């Protein structure tokens, strides 16, 4: 069967989580990493998915959403 992908470009992807915050960004600290910081996309709009490329800013402005990346930092 064919897979139909529907992209709702102008729709928020976060309808209810922590909406009082301007942008939801979470950080995970890991003691042993080869890179000091990696930002993973949670808006599904990044051109470099799974990495964040800042596209969430445009998405948030267009939709009123508040999504931001998951930051994985070396502790
Ligand atoms: Fe998607 Fe930054 S580009 S969270």
């Amino acid at each position: 069967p064919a897979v139909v992908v529907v992209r709702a470009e102008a729709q928020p992807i976060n309808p209810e989580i922590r909406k009082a915050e301007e942008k939801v960004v979470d950080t995970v600290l890991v003691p042993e990493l080869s890179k000091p910081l990696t930002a993973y996309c949670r808006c599904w709009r990044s051109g470099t998915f799974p990495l964040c490329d800042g596209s969430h800013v445009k998405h948030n402005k267009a939709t009123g959403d508040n999504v931001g990346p998951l930051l994985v930092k070396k502790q």
Side-chain angles (χ1 to χ4, degrees):
V3 175
V4 177
V5 177
V6 177
R7 295 193 62 160
E9 297 292 343
Q11 298 295 315
I13 63 157
N14 175 25
E16 61 189 49
I17 298 171
R18 293 160 52 187
K19 295 304 277 188
E21 298 178 33
E22 183 178 348
K23 181 167 59 180
V24 177
V25 178
D26 295 297
T27 302
V28 176
L29 298 175
V30 181
E32 295 183 21
L33 285 176
S34 58
K35 291 176 62 178
L37 171 66
T38 303
Y40 289 95
C41 176
R42 295 191 296 185
C43 75
W44 297 90
R45 302 294 183 253
S46 176
T48 59
F49 197 87
L51 302 179
C52 170
D53 69 355
S55 295
H56 59 267
V57 175
K58 182 179 174 186
H59 165 77
N60 287 346
K61 280 186 182 169
T63 65
D65 212 343
N66 67 340
V67 291
L70 170 67
L71 304 178
V72 178
K73 288 184 177 178
K74 187 170 185 171
Q75 193 169 28

